[in-house]
Amino acid sequence: MLYKEYILDRFQEEAIKSIENNHSVIVAAPTGAGKTLIAEYAIEKHIQAEEQIIYTAPIKALSNQKYRDFSRDYGDRIGIVTGDVVINPEAPILLMTTEIFRNTIFDDINRLRNVRYVIFDEIHFIDDIERGTVWEESIIFAPQHINFICLSATIPNLREFAAWMRSVRQNRIDVVLETERPVPLEHTLYIKGYGLGWIEQLRDIKDSGIDPEKFTTFKTNRRNNKRNFTGTQVMESVISGIQTLLGGDLIEHIHLSDQLPCLYFSLSRKSCEEKALMNIDRDFLKPNEKKLILSEYDDLCQRYDVVNDLSAQTLREMIEHGVAYHHAGMLPTLKEVVERLFTSGLIRLLFTTETFALGINMPACSVVFDSITKYDGFQFRYLKSREYHQMAGRAGRRGIDDKGFVYACVNPEYDDYEDVKGVVEGDIEKIESQFNLSYSSVLNLYDKHRDNIYEVCKSSLNNYQNIKTLKNLERSMERLEKKRKELDELNCIHSDSAEKIWEYKRLEEALKAEQSKSSKSKKSRKKRKKRRRKSRKISKKEIGINRALKALKCSKCQNFKSCIKTANRIMDYQQRKLGISRQIDVMKNYQEQQIKRRLELLQEIGYIDNKGLLPRGEVASQIYGYELQVTELLFDGYFHRLDPDLMNVLIMAIVFESKRDVWYSKMPKKIIKPLLSGPDRKISSIRKREGTLGIDTPIKELDGKLSSPLYEWSRGCDFEELVDYTDAPPGDLVRYFRLASDLLRQMRRVVERGDPLFSKIDICISKINRDVVDAERQLRVG
């Protein structure tokens, strides 16, 4: 089949056949295989039928890129709705984040009446701990007339996922699987101090403990035909297969091997910039290419108004040599400049974080992992196999490269052989449900279903996956019961209960512990009076334990040793049964208990009653993210009493999460303390009650550390002046300013137009959403 001048692959034809038959389809195919072509076919088909189609993406950067790409083909028939941008929202082709689609389902389901298909790009995000529940809720609660096209590179448990979707959707769901990459990958380890090798060489190095210097010296000797039979030679023969690097280092090797452009994944922002600066003297471009890339760079910087930005000036020096960096801490406009230049092919070496691998269609000839460990916010850990292959999949350009090259840098001194093998050769982890309803989702479901809310939530992937696990646990319980019956029964002349014998054993152990304490106390030479009082107290306790022991019939019984052995075996089985029983109870009841506890809290604080939603509940149900914080402060009048600048400070405290290694200037106490103390007490009291009720994911507490920079920005300072108030990366500042602006927009939806707060919110938004923060302006300029 020919489409858009491409001869389609088998999997593309299968997926298109499903779309022609009006079926839902799940497509799993390697990165770069051409999944987007399937989405484009569906778009064209349903535009011609005058039906709406929605394309959702996991990150705003991908939504923006797709908007630019599709705009070239479809013009004003494309629209986009994200938290930052609303352009042409009634368009037949609508791009949005998955959160916006989920919110639309709950807010105004009638808006979806003409939607025929929803495309979920990177559907494996359903496994994301923080956001995965949004994909799950979208699939469960979307109107049944909507079909889905689910695209992913990595779903090991594809059949299970499809079976769950079939259990909650009425229309047919087809599965299309492609395992072959159009451009094969060659995976290699760069073993620090040794050279290029693979898992076997790393294992041999770890086992033999060869010193890198001796290893290198021996290799030189061998090249010079100096035959000797030292221990070094024997060890080198154990790790045959190590290859030397062309040019002496990995980047030069890639250059000389004609494997540029290269994506160099460095899993920290700081490292990206440092490594780019370290490579600024390399020269990957010819004179005419330098002239061309600088012309394009200057034009883009002028268009996005970042010419005077210090980072842009530093980046220009790198760009001239074909080197750049890209990470979330950069200004979004500057990131987009780098992305556009990379697609031109003139950036030959790009140092970037893992976010560059999330769906953005920018492949390279080679990929390098500076490390296969990352800091996940709590600890350093090895990459998951899925993460590694997601990034590695960027290597190899279809129609350009015969092969893609992947290099993972490892240090034999620190990296564990088994862990490295698990990352690069291990099975990709299956996707797991992260179903966890927010308060706004609970309120919307309670409004529609009342007490049947629990039945609705049994539709979750979590519940579906648990069914199989529960069956296995129940079989384990049956096996334990069978083995328990095969045990010798307790044959005690005093008791038929193992518990009585265990009571005696526990008292014996308690006595030994008290005697040990008493002994240590007597050896002490300090504070004699206190010691004597303590001794008397301990002695009394020992006497009490002794009395309890003698009162039991097990005392001095000749059969005690035999009984205790039998009792131990019985108790062991009982403990194992209890553990399995608790697992079963958690799996059966966890989600229901969490919803029940949330409903109990919502009833306590006046959001619901037996009839449905109360006014606070009505408001909170329309806000997605920070719904309780906003609703509480709104109904208590905090926002009404503040001027726009201070109201913006309070909004920022709701959304902001500070980092330890960043400096933030402080606002004067006389301003910030009265502003945040009341709201902080209100929110802390709810968090405390959540803890009492056992709610696992409490609402976020206020964080006022960005108050001073936000206050100055709201009052009109230039973005460049914010360095006087914080050293936070500019990209982080823009992201949080946009989050605050998005929350204000949500608030505006729940405030009546006649309320003075409505116009105040408009003022607040205009004070934040300007210059580099204005995402819509950035997208229109692009």
Side-chain angles (χ1 to χ4, degrees):
M1 179 178 175
L2 193 68
Y3 176 66
K4 287 194 172 182
E5 299 181 0
Y6 291 102
I7 298 175
L8 297 184
D9 294 336
R10 172 203 58 81
F11 84 94
Q12 293 169 322
E13 288 189 11
E14 283 186 28
I16 285 172
K17 184 178 178 182
S18 294
I19 294 166
E20 283 294 328
N21 291 328
N22 291 317
H23 299 164
S24 290
V25 61
I26 306 169
V27 182
T31 301
K35 295 186 291 293
T36 302
L37 212 62
I38 297 165
E40 290 175 3
Y41 181 89
I43 287 170
E44 290 197 355
K45 170 179 165 55
H46 291 286
I47 278 186
Q48 291 170 7
E50 296 185 350
E51 293 172 322
Q52 195 173 39
I53 190 163
I54 291 174
Y55 192 116
T56 78
I59 55 174
K60 291 173 184 175
L62 183 54
S63 294
N64 293 345
Q65 186 198 45
K66 293 297 181 187
Y67 177 76
R68 290 193 298 269
D69 292 346
F70 290 159
S71 291
R72 285 193 290 269
D73 294 333
Y74 305 113
D76 61 3
R77 291 180 293 176
I78 287 285
I80 183 169
V81 180
T82 67
D84 303 327
V85 179
V86 178
I87 299 175
N88 200 12
E90 302 301 324
I93 311 166
L94 201 54
L95 295 159
M96 57 176 62
T97 56
T98 314
E99 279 85 353
I100 296 294
F101 176 66
R102 188 276 313 271
N103 299 351
T104 305
I105 293 170
F106 287 143
D107 282 347
D108 186 3
I109 204 165
N110 288 328
R111 286 172 57 192
L112 303 173
R113 63 184 178 276
N114 197 40
V115 174
R116 180 56 55 194
Y117 270 92
V118 171
I119 300 163
F120 281 136
D121 206 352
E122 310 286 357
I123 187 63
H124 57 268
F125 255 77
I126 203 167
D127 187 70
D128 185 79
I129 291 174
E130 292 184 359
R131 301 172 58 210
T133 186
V134 176
W135 275 260
E136 208 165 326
E137 291 173 46
S138 297
I139 291 169
I140 295 169
F141 303 121
Q144 287 292 342
H145 73 270
I146 290 177
N147 285 323
F148 291 103
I149 300 171
C150 302
L151 307 176
S152 177
T154 48
I155 305 183
N157 52 330
L158 180 62
R159 304 294 172 186
E160 178 189 59
F161 178 71
W164 166 71
M165 278 193 67
R166 291 184 185 116
S167 74
V168 297
R169 306 299 301 172
Q170 293 174 359
N171 295 341
R172 176 168 165 172
I173 297 171
D174 299 329
V175 173
V176 175
L177 176 64
E178 175 60 66
T179 56
E180 293 296 318
R181 281 184 55 89
V183 181
L185 298 182
E186 180 180 287
H187 295 263
T188 311
L189 293 185
Y190 169 55
I191 306 171
K192 186 178 180 181
Y194 297 88
L196 299 176
W198 193 227
I199 296 293
E200 292 74 16
Q201 283 77 48
L202 177 64
R203 178 194 58 205
D204 294 341
I205 288 169
K206 296 286 283 186
D207 290 346
S208 60
I210 305 173
D211 184 274
E213 292 183 8
K214 292 180 181 178
F215 174 79
T216 306
T217 302
F218 174 75
K219 286 175 72 176
T220 304
N221 288 344
R222 196 172 73 166
R223 285 200 298 271
N224 294 334
N225 294 317
K226 293 182 180 179
R227 297 180 60 83
N228 57 46
F229 296 90
T230 63
T232 309
Q233 182 178 1
V234 173
M235 286 189 286
E236 201 280 339
S237 67
V238 171
I239 54 169
S240 60
I242 293 287
Q243 305 167 32
T244 53
L245 290 163
L246 295 175
D249 65 56
L250 182 55
I251 293 174
E252 191 63 19
H253 170 84
I254 290 169
H255 184 198
L256 295 174
S257 301
D258 196 25
Q259 295 172 8
L260 295 174
C262 171
L263 283 176
Y264 196 112
F265 286 109
S266 188
L267 302 176
S268 83
R269 300 172 181 181
K270 185 178 180 182
S271 175
C272 283
E273 295 192 22
E274 288 175 347
K275 289 185 181 300
L277 283 168
M278 287 166 58
N279 288 275
I280 197 170
D281 293 330
R282 297 186 190 269
D283 213 346
F284 298 123
L285 300 179
K286 297 173 184 176
N288 63 315
E289 290 175 325
K290 288 185 179 185
K291 187 176 179 181
L292 178 60
I293 196 171
L294 284 177
S295 174
E296 289 189 25
Y297 181 75
D298 291 341
D299 178 60
L300 287 167
C301 287
Q302 189 75 39
R303 191 188 307 178
Y304 286 114
D305 196 21
V306 291
V307 174
N308 298 322
D309 183 80
L310 290 175
S311 297
Q313 293 169 12
T314 304
L315 202 54
R316 192 180 192 277
E317 297 176 37
M318 301 177 189
I319 291 287
E320 186 177 4
H321 298 270
V323 179
Y325 62 85
H326 179 285
H327 60 71
M330 299 168 65
L331 277 175
T333 44
L334 197 54
K335 276 202 305 179
E336 188 167 330
V337 169
V338 173
E339 289 165 14
R340 286 179 170 235
L341 290 176
F342 189 80
T343 58
S344 73
L346 292 173
I347 292 180
R348 303 290 162 77
L349 177 62
L350 181 65
F351 294 90
T352 183
T353 53
E354 62 188 306
T355 53
F356 202 80
L358 296 177
I360 299 176
N361 184 27
M362 295 183 189
C365 181
S366 61
V367 159
V368 175
F369 291 84
D370 187 49
S371 170
I372 55 172
T373 61
K374 64 178 283 190
Y375 184 69
D376 62 7
F378 301 98
Q379 61 182 354
F380 279 96
R381 63 166 176 83
Y382 282 93
L383 293 175
K384 292 180 179 179
S385 185
R386 181 194 301 144
E387 293 170 323
Y388 170 81
H389 286 285
Q390 178 82 20
M391 289 184 267
R394 292 294 159 201
R397 297 161 297 174
R398 188 170 189 174
I400 301 174
D401 303 318
D402 295 327
K403 185 190 294 184
F405 302 89
V406 182
Y407 299 91
C409 301
V410 296
N411 188 330
E413 187 176 351
Y414 304 111
D415 285 315
D416 180 78
Y417 160 73
E418 291 292 345
D419 287 325
V420 173
K421 185 176 182 180
V423 172
V424 297
E425 283 189 347
D427 293 334
I428 294 173
E429 301 81 7
K430 71 174 190 175
I431 60 173
E432 300 278 359
S433 171
Q434 303 297 335
F435 194 68
N436 182 27
L437 293 177
S438 64
Y439 283 105
S440 57
S441 294
V442 169
L443 286 164
N444 277 288
L445 291 172
Y446 182 74
D447 187 37
K448 292 178 175 67
H449 303 286
R450 297 294 188 275
D451 292 338
N452 289 330
I453 185 174
Y454 305 113
E455 294 302 316
V456 171
C457 294
K458 286 180 181 177
S459 303
S460 71
L461 175 60
N462 176 275
N463 189 66
Y464 188 87
Q465 290 178 322
N466 282 348
I467 290 171
K468 186 177 179 181
T469 308
L470 282 168
K471 287 179 180 176
N472 290 334
L473 287 172
E474 285 164 358
R475 280 194 288 268
S476 297
M477 183 73 88
E478 289 171 5
R479 286 194 295 269
L480 275 175
E481 284 285 358
K482 187 177 179 181
K483 288 182 179 180
R484 165 67 184 88
K485 288 176 182 177
E486 293 171 1
L487 288 177
D488 293 332
E489 289 300 323
L490 190 64
N491 188 18
C492 177
I493 59 174
H494 303 300
S495 172
D496 59 355
S497 169
E499 271 296 336
K500 290 288 184 184
I501 296 168
W502 267 91
E503 186 181 348
Y504 185 87
K505 192 71 177 172
R506 283 195 294 267
L507 286 168
E508 265 195 338
E509 289 171 356
L511 181 61
K512 286 178 184 177
E514 286 302 320
Q515 287 171 340
S516 175
K517 287 180 185 178
S518 179
S519 175
K520 288 177 183 177
S521 179
K522 288 173 184 176
K523 289 178 182 178
S524 173
R525 299 298 178 188
K526 297 179 181 179
K527 300 182 181 178
R528 293 180 174 226
K529 289 182 181 180
K530 186 176 180 181
R531 187 186 69 232
R532 280 197 291 270
R533 285 197 300 270
K534 192 174 181 182
S535 282
R536 282 196 297 273
K537 185 178 179 183
I538 291 172
S539 296
K540 286 178 181 178
K541 195 166 185 180
E542 287 176 25
I543 290 167
I545 296 171
N546 267 314
R547 284 175 180 166
L549 277 167
K550 289 175 182 178
L552 291 174
K553 292 179 180 180
C554 293
S555 180
K556 297 181 181 180
C557 178
Q558 293 180 349
N559 297 327
F560 179 72
K561 287 185 179 179
S562 170
C563 287
I564 196 69
K565 285 181 182 178
T566 305
N568 277 338
R569 285 194 291 268
I570 292 170
M571 289 296 289
D572 178 58
Y573 277 99
Q574 287 178 348
Q575 290 296 321
R576 287 162 67 184
K577 278 176 59 181
L578 182 63
I580 293 173
S581 178
R582 284 173 178 164
Q583 277 184 276
I584 290 172
D585 182 62
V586 168
M587 285 194 169
K588 283 183 174 178
N589 302 312
Y590 175 78
Q591 292 292 344
E592 184 174 329
Q593 286 174 351
Q594 286 296 307
I595 294 168
K596 192 175 290 185
R597 290 165 186 171
R598 280 182 166 83
L599 288 171
E600 185 178 344
L601 175 68
L602 290 169
Q603 189 162 14
E604 283 183 14
I605 60 177
Y607 283 61
I608 61 173
D609 61 16
N610 294 332
K611 297 178 182 178
L613 304 190
L614 298 172
R616 286 179 188 247
E618 293 282 359
V619 168
S621 70
Q622 299 175 65
I623 296 174
Y624 298 94
Y626 320 106
E627 53 267 38
L628 295 195
Q629 296 96 319
V630 169
T631 304
E632 287 299 298
L633 302 185
L634 184 63
F635 274 77
D636 285 1
Y638 283 99
F639 298 121
H640 286 82
R641 295 193 291 269
L642 298 173
D643 68 41
D645 296 321
L646 289 177
M647 180 170 156
N648 280 340
V649 171
L650 181 53
I651 289 291
M652 179 56 72
I654 292 172
V655 303
F656 184 60
E657 294 183 56
S658 56
K659 295 182 178 178
R660 292 180 182 177
D661 56 346
V662 178
W663 165 75
Y664 309 96
S665 65
K666 295 181 179 179
M667 282 188 77
K669 281 188 178 180
K670 63 181 181 180
I671 298 176
I672 197 68
K673 190 173 180 179
L675 174 65
L676 297 185
S677 58
D680 189 53
R681 282 194 300 272
K682 168 69 72 173
I683 291 163
S684 294
S685 68
I686 294 176
R687 283 171 54 85
K688 185 177 180 180
R689 184 58 184 143
E690 286 178 311
T692 306
L693 289 170
I695 294 171
D696 280 351
T697 48
I699 62 172
K700 179 190 164 296
E701 58 190 340
L702 294 185
D703 188 334
K705 288 189 176 178
L706 199 62
S707 296
S708 185
L710 186 280
Y711 186 61
E712 297 304 325
W713 176 252
S714 183
R715 294 170 70 196
C717 80
D718 292 335
F719 195 82
E720 293 76 16
E721 295 178 60
L722 292 177
V723 294
D724 296 331
Y725 304 97
T726 180
D727 59 4
D732 288 350
L733 291 176
V734 171
R735 182 166 68 89
Y736 277 112
F737 288 176
R738 287 178 176 178
L739 272 175
S741 185
D742 178 38
L743 187 57
L744 284 163
R745 289 190 189 97
Q746 290 194 60
M747 285 176 58
R748 184 173 57 187
R749 290 170 50 221
V750 300
V751 175
E752 294 182 3
R753 284 187 173 272
D755 190 324
L757 184 59
F758 187 91
S759 56
K760 190 195 292 187
I761 290 174
D762 276 340
I763 296 169
C764 288
I765 293 171
S766 66
K767 282 174 166 284
I768 295 178
N769 196 44
R770 59 184 178 86
D771 196 23
V772 294
V773 179
D774 188 346
E776 186 170 324
R777 172 181 169 273
Q778 177 186 337
L779 192 60
R780 288 185 185 278
V781 167

